[in-house]
Amino acid sequence: AELARLVLGLFKLRIAVMIMITALVGLAVTPGAALSLAQVVVLALAVLLASGSAGAFNQYFEADTDRLMARTRTRAFVTGELPRTPAWLVLIAALLVLSVGAAWFALNAVAALYIFLGAFVYAVVYTVWLKRRSWTNIVIGGLAGSFAVLAGGAAVDPSLGPLPLLLALVLFLWTPPHFW
């Protein structure tokens, strides 16, 4: 039970669930043919897994700086409760590939691309490239969450109409002031 709690904690599930919900809202506001229940489940799980994998990568990459902040110093990679080995990177990559592949197969390539871009922007652009370089990193970090809305919209209509685009813009603009 303790090991499961530690592992699940790596994936930032509270945030991943919220991002999954934004994908479902993107789906709900986009006019078009209804998805099957199986497609909705694939969308939800693909976004959840992609977001979770990006969150786990964030904790893996930032273990050295996480020990410096009160909010993050008890994370499992920081405390050593979970070993920070390359096997985690393999698992994280496998979850991302699985989620993007499932979306591509069950939905379409555009929805899969947005799911990938959300994880990539958070893991690479935000975590690796910007976070240690600029206090404005959260502005681009907000873009990561917006891709989930676009994935939900693209699952219905890959050409994306104004509603999912507007919702993604609102989420993007809301993130920095919410964080600051």
Side-chain angles (χ1 to χ4, degrees):
E2 179 64 16
L3 179 61
R5 183 189 66 76
L6 291 171
V7 171
L8 290 175
L10 289 180
F11 295 95
K12 299 184 178 185
L13 289 181
R14 287 185 307 178
I15 294 169
V17 166
M18 294 306 295
I19 290 173
M20 177 188 74
I21 290 169
T22 66
L24 295 174
V25 171
L27 169 75
V29 301
T30 304
L35 299 184
S36 69
L37 178 59
Q39 289 175 305
V40 173
V41 169
V42 168
L43 172 67
L45 291 177
V47 171
L48 182 74
L49 287 176
S51 176
S53 68
F57 177 81
N58 173 272
Q59 288 196 48
Y60 184 93
F61 186 81
E62 295 195 328
D64 61 331
T65 56
D66 279 351
R67 69 179 26 96
L68 305 174
M69 294 187 298
R71 181 179 63 83
T72 56
R73 72 173 51 128
T74 60
R75 288 180 171 173
F77 286 143
V78 174
T79 63
E81 292 173 283
L82 291 176
R84 194 169 159 260
T85 65
W88 285 107
L89 295 176
V90 172
L91 175 63
I92 289 164
L95 289 174
L96 181 59
V97 168
L98 174 68
S99 64
V100 172
W104 190 304
F105 178 75
L107 303 167
N108 61 60
V110 176
L113 176 64
Y114 286 132
I115 290 169
F116 170 78
L117 287 174
F120 179 81
V121 166
Y122 184 77
V124 177
V125 177
Y126 169 73
T127 299
V128 174
W129 184 45
L130 288 175
K131 194 163 184 190
R132 298 179 190 207
R133 288 180 173 83
S134 171
W135 65 273
T136 62
N137 59 60
I138 193 62
V139 175
I140 300 302
L143 184 61
S146 298
F147 280 116
V149 175
L150 299 178
V156 175
D157 181 1
S159 64
L160 288 181
L163 289 176
L165 290 170
L166 182 60
L167 190 56
L169 178 64
V170 167
L171 184 60
F172 172 71
L173 295 175
W174 169 83
T175 301
H178 164 74
F179 182 80
W180 290 330

